[in-house]
Amino acid sequence: MAEACASPTPAPSVGGGSLLIAWQLKDKHVLIVGGGEVASQRVESVLTADALITILSPAKGLHARTKQFIDTYPTRITYYDRRFSGAAEIHKMDMVLTALDDVNRSREICEMCRKAKVPVNAADIPDLCDFYFGAQIRDGPLQIMISTNGNGPRMAALMKKRLQDALSGKEGEAIERVGVLRAQLKDRASGVGGALGRKRMKWMSEVCNTWEVDELTQLDDTIITKLLDEGWEKNAVPTLDQLTGRQTRNITRPFQSHAFPQWLPVIASFALGAACTTLALLSRKR
Amino acid sequence: MAEACASPTPAPSVGGGSLLIAWQLKDKHVLIVGGGEVASQRVESVLTADALITILSPAKGLHARTKQFIDTYPTRITYYDRRFSGAAEIHKMDMVLTALDDVNRSREICEMCRKAKVPVNAADIPDLCDFYFGAQIRDGPLQIMISTNGNGPRMAALMKKRLQDALSGKEGEAIERVGVLRAQLKDRASGVGGALGRKRMKWMSEVCNTWEVDELTQLDDTIITKLLDEGWEKNAVPTLDQLTGRQTRNITRPFQSHAFPQWLPVIASFALGAACTTLALLSRKR
């Protein structure tokens, strides 16, 4: 489903950006002209999107990773050991990516694509591109793209690292399990739109808001059935603890626990200091 | 500049995703069919990318935000108080976005776009879309997109919140200042590619790696000149402290500071406890 843009008010800084989108390439034809390191990154990106790939590159120009992709995905990748020959190559294509050292050749290919209305990206020639790539994070169904709009790939890589550190690595699994819950809810309470659709959406939101990411990963078939029986059917959103009787929360959120406040060691030390001194002085008295 | 895909090894999970890209729309023509709430989100997204927008929607269907955009950006947005009339409307367009309640009409428009090879997104009809939208974070030149590949917009919104919490809100400014530094370095040491290009890239990376985000925001004209004089020219990467003589680090990173270790209050309390008890016992003795 198309995901809604979540910002409720006009952005403070309008303009100067790009339109960040998730392009759909399932079983679409993508031509990659070139076989070097950049080409290998392009192959990986479009493999992610389940494209059917054609690579044009003399064998001597193939990077080890490009070769590895060609060998690993023979049903997805068709490789030709030759250069780009002319406009006829792009006619059946849904997207063209060039990764060539030859800037003039790249420009020619881009012009052909523009005429044929085929979306095109030419590595390192931004003014010719319909779209740019960015730093990416992938965790199963979760994909994150970071673009600095041309202000330096290094900063994009730094932002990527910072965002990766903020994720636990379980988000992809959680999103997958929520997808399964959502599908089973739709089976149970089917129908498109209307009051039921809104109720379903609200209940799903409530679950996602109440349960932690770690807890969502535990949504196996048994717990999903329990959650639908005890929750959806009774118009409630029980916690994982309530469903299983286990004390999961304190295990999954140790840093938010209030069982051991930060000032406890300070008070304990004061008391210990006092006690030790009392004992020392009393023992000297005797 | 096209940003490189930063992953050095093949992704563990290939397939099942989208191609996340930053589409370029500067002064390109985008048709938005519909004027409701979803349409207003589309208007915002393409305004971000500096598109020239045409909106088709009967006035009674206009959402307050759509209206506000039309009033605020008269040179960017052309508004027609009528419905979509036929294929002729899309011929000059570079992209079409439909946000209609009428699914059949949306389907017809999508088919026209497909024939004319114009990229199209139909809100809530995923199978018709060339691309999807996702949750977005924008901070000046920094744009982040989060896609859950159809596994629920709620999880995308949750991920957005989590990532936003991980950012200080100064990243956009830092990226902007790094862009200025980069441009001034290119002026000073001009030329495309080659050994000089590599040296420039390496030095810029080193600066981005050494300086904190907060420090990068302080790159004004004076400090940039100092950094280029004392750093680039001398083949070094001085810290902000070294350039300014100020003790900035401890101010900008209070939580990483080692000047006030966590066990200090504990020891101090022990001593205080001991001292108080001693005083109390001694005063009783007298």
Side-chain angles (χ1 to χ4, degrees):
Chain A
M1 188 193 279
E3 288 149 20
C5 177
S7 171
T9 51
S13 53
V14 166
S18 311
L19 185 73
L20 266 50
I21 50 180
W23 198 267
Q24 301 308 299
L25 283 177
K26 192 168 168 58
D27 299 333
K28 296 280 176 81
H29 292 271
V30 176
L31 175 66
I32 296 175
V33 188
E37 191 181 351
V38 175
S40 78
Q41 293 165 357
R42 300 292 181 257
V43 175
E44 182 177 3
S45 296
V46 293
L47 270 177
T48 299
D50 295 314
L52 294 166
I53 306 165
T54 303
I55 300 177
L56 295 180
S57 167
K60 66 174 167 43
L62 282 188
H63 189 270
R65 282 190 74 220
T66 313
K67 235 183 223 160
Q68 192 190 327
F69 281 126
I70 293 170
D71 293 342
T72 315
Y73 301 98
T75 59
R76 288 271 136 200
I77 303 176
T78 311
Y79 166 61
Y80 296 100
D81 175 8
R82 61 174 177 79
R83 292 182 194 284
F84 179 86
S85 68
E89 313 249 37
I90 61 172
H91 279 325
K92 274 203 246 158
M93 294 298 161
D94 298 296
M95 178 175 275
V96 173
L97 311 171
T98 78
L100 296 168
D101 286 332
D102 185 342
V103 176
N104 291 331
R105 194 57 174 150
S106 256
R107 283 193 180 273
E108 284 170 25
I109 297 170
C110 284
E111 274 159 33
M112 291 175 202
C113 290
R114 200 80 70 222
K115 259 190 209 160
K117 294 189 127 192
V118 177
V120 62
N121 170 282
D124 289 326
I125 320 179
D127 62 301
L128 295 184
C129 293
D130 285 319
F131 58 90
Y132 302 157
F133 290 91
Q136 307 241 354
I137 298 173
R138 172 103 199 259
D139 176 11
L142 176 64
Q143 284 185 277
I144 298 167
M145 173 181 174
I146 303 122
S147 170
T148 58
N149 281 295
N151 281 274
R154 184 65 222 155
M155 286 304 285
L158 266 185
M159 290 303 106
K160 176 183 165 173
K161 169 123 200 356
R162 182 167 282 219
L163 296 181
Q164 259 173 333
D165 289 348
L167 298 169
S168 70
K170 291 195 160 182
E171 285 79 8
E173 205 187 331
I175 290 167
E176 228 162 66
R177 299 317 304 166
V178 167
V180 175
L181 171 65
R182 200 151 152 258
Q184 293 204 16
L185 173 59
K186 268 190 186 167
D187 281 349
R188 201 181 268 233
S190 57
V192 175
L196 185 64
R198 276 192 298 278
K199 194 188 159 195
R200 262 199 327 248
M201 210 160 74
K202 204 171 159 244
W203 187 79
M204 282 300 305
S205 277
E206 201 58 23
V207 172
C208 294
N209 285 335
T210 320
W211 288 42
E212 296 288 315
V213 167
D214 273 5
E215 294 172 333
L216 291 171
T217 62
Q218 298 179 48
L219 278 170
D220 59 20
D221 287 349
T222 314
I223 296 184
I224 285 178
T225 305
K226 259 193 191 169
L227 180 56
L228 290 173
D229 288 346
E230 304 295 314
W232 170 257
E233 302 292 351
K234 296 179 182 172
N235 211 8
V237 177
T239 63
L240 179 59
D241 297 1
Q242 288 166 338
L243 284 184
T244 61
R246 279 179 294 163
Q247 201 59 28
T248 330
R249 292 245 157 179
N250 283 339
I251 296 163
T252 56
R253 298 191 296 180
F255 295 111
Q256 287 176 37
S257 166
H258 292 283
F260 189 73
Q262 285 191 328
W263 39 262
L264 202 63
V266 176
I267 289 186
S269 290
F270 183 94
L272 193 66
C276 288
T277 312
T278 310
L279 279 173
L281 290 175
L282 287 177
S283 64
R284 276 188 57 196
K285 242 183 172 174
R286 279 183 201 135
Chain B
M1 190 193 280
E3 288 148 21
C5 176
S7 171
T9 50
S13 54
V14 166
S18 311
L19 185 73
L20 267 49
I21 51 181
W23 197 268
Q24 300 307 299
L25 282 178
K26 193 169 168 55
D27 300 332
K28 296 278 176 83
H29 292 271
V30 176
L31 175 65
I32 297 176
V33 187
E37 190 181 351
V38 175
S40 78
Q41 293 164 358
R42 300 293 180 257
V43 174
E44 182 176 3
S45 297
V46 294
L47 270 178
T48 299
D50 295 314
L52 293 166
I53 306 164
T54 303
I55 300 177
L56 295 180
S57 167
K60 66 174 166 46
L62 282 188
H63 189 271
R65 282 190 73 222
T66 313
K67 233 181 228 164
Q68 192 190 328
F69 282 127
I70 292 171
D71 293 341
T72 315
Y73 302 98
T75 59
R76 289 271 135 201
I77 304 176
T78 311
Y79 166 61
Y80 296 100
D81 175 9
R82 60 174 177 80
R83 292 180 194 283
F84 179 85
S85 67
E89 313 249 36
I90 61 172
H91 279 324
K92 274 202 242 157
M93 294 298 161
D94 298 295
M95 177 173 277
V96 173
L97 311 171
T98 78
L100 297 169
D101 286 332
D102 185 343
V103 176
N104 291 331
R105 194 59 176 148
S106 258
R107 284 194 180 272
E108 285 170 25
I109 296 170
C110 284
E111 274 158 33
M112 292 174 201
C113 290
R114 200 80 70 224
K115 258 189 209 160
K117 293 191 130 191
V118 177
V120 63
N121 170 281
D124 289 325
I125 320 179
D127 62 301
L128 295 184
C129 293
D130 285 319
F131 58 91
Y132 302 158
F133 290 90
Q136 307 241 354
I137 299 173
R138 171 104 199 259
D139 177 11
L142 176 66
Q143 283 185 278
I144 298 168
M145 173 181 174
I146 303 123
S147 170
T148 58
N149 282 294
N151 281 274
R154 185 64 222 155
M155 285 304 285
L158 266 185
M159 291 302 105
K160 177 183 165 174
K161 169 119 201 1
R162 183 167 282 218
L163 296 181
Q164 258 173 334
D165 289 347
L167 298 169
S168 70
K170 290 196 162 183
E171 286 79 8
E173 203 188 331
I175 289 167
E176 227 162 67
R177 299 317 304 168
V178 167
V180 175
L181 170 65
R182 200 150 152 258
Q184 293 203 17
L185 173 59
K186 267 191 185 166
D187 281 349
R188 202 181 268 232
S190 57
V192 175
L196 184 64
R198 275 193 298 277
K199 194 187 159 196
R200 261 197 329 246
M201 209 158 73
K202 204 172 159 243
W203 187 80
M204 282 300 305
S205 278
E206 201 59 22
V207 172
C208 294
N209 284 336
T210 320
W211 287 42
E212 296 288 315
V213 167
D214 273 3
E215 293 172 334
L216 290 171
T217 62
Q218 297 180 46
L219 277 169
D220 59 18
D221 287 350
T222 314
I223 296 183
I224 285 178
T225 305
K226 259 191 188 170
L227 179 56
L228 290 172
D229 288 345
E230 305 295 315
W232 170 257
E233 301 292 351
K234 295 179 181 171
N235 211 7
V237 177
T239 63
L240 179 59
D241 297 0
Q242 287 167 338
L243 284 185
T244 60
R246 282 178 291 163
Q247 202 59 27
T248 328
R249 292 245 159 179
N250 283 340
I251 297 164
T252 56
R253 297 190 295 178
F255 295 112
Q256 288 177 38
S257 166
H258 292 283
F260 189 73
Q262 286 189 329
W263 40 263
L264 203 62
V266 176
I267 289 186
S269 291
F270 184 93
L272 192 66
C276 288
T277 314
T278 310
L279 279 174
L281 291 175
L282 287 178
S283 63
R284 276 187 57 195
K285 241 182 169 174
R286 279 184 201 133

